[in-house]
Amino acid sequence: MDCLTGGDVLDQRFAVGPGAGLSLTTQACERIYRASSGRAEVATRLNVAAGGFLAFLPQETILFHESALSRKLELETAEDAEFVLCESVILGREMMGESVRQGVFRESWRIRLGGKLVFADETRLEGDIAGQTGAAASLAGNRAFATLVARREGAESLLAPLRQAIGED
């Protein structure tokens, strides 16, 4: 499902067996349209067994004006499992003259390694999204953001090129 609106529900689960690898993506970006009532809800549950690897890299989510989305991502891994997770969000399509002034976006991440919570993140934009994202302490007027979490041998070596690519070198 790549187009959601208020009341839509998507519950997806993926598991990686011992020593196996899995790469997940989507065929198109996820579009969250104006909600006349309710919220679209997306729950993603991921499990990686011992020695496994998971790459969860869906294409970006585009939020439209007055959209409403509540999204949860839960990852449970073995202590030696590796993973790369990324979810990106775009606030309207700038080239189409779209902007997101009002809406709801809630995202919750929980990552457990060997049963222990090692990462928890909450993102919440509600109501005046344009005002909230215009502040220097949030997006400073930028229209896109992402959450990226990786646990992979040698991942540290990728920090410098990543920082350079986003202008933080």
Side-chain angles (χ1 to χ4, degrees), residues 16 21-25 46 48 53-58 82-86 152:
V16 180
L22 177 64
S23 295
L24 297 168
T25 190
L46 308 165
V48 184
F53 172 73
L54 171 69
F56 181 74
L57 305 166
E82 295 185 338
F83 55 85
V84 176
L85 312 171
C86 185
R152 180 91 193 204

Side-chain angles (χ1 to χ4, degrees), residues 21 39 104:
R39 291 189 182 123
V104 175

Side-chain angles (χ1 to χ4, degrees), residues 1-99:
M1 185 181 305
D2 61 357
C3 299
L4 300 169
T5 190
D8 290 343
V9 176
L10 175 61
D11 188 349
Q12 51 194 4
R13 298 166 191 255
F14 301 95
V16 180
L22 177 64
S23 295
L24 297 168
T25 190
T26 54
Q27 69 180 26
C29 61
E30 184 176 55
R31 294 176 297 278
I32 311 300
Y33 292 118
R34 179 179 183 216
S36 58
S37 66
R39 291 189 182 123
E41 295 185 23
V42 176
T44 303
R45 291 174 184 86
L46 308 165
N47 189 289
V48 184
F53 172 73
L54 171 69
F56 181 74
L57 305 166
Q59 292 191 43
E60 67 274 10
T61 297
I62 301 174
L63 299 179
F64 289 86
H65 179 61
E66 296 184 338
S67 62
L69 173 64
S70 179
R71 183 162 68 184
K72 293 180 182 181
L73 185 142
E74 296 178 5
L75 171 63
E76 181 77 40
T77 73
E79 289 186 21
D80 66 343
E82 295 185 338
F83 55 85
V84 176
L85 312 171
C86 185
E87 284 272 19
S88 57
V89 177
I90 298 174
L91 302 173
R93 299 176 298 183
E94 189 172 16
M95 297 301 289
M96 302 294 285
E98 299 167 354
S99 62

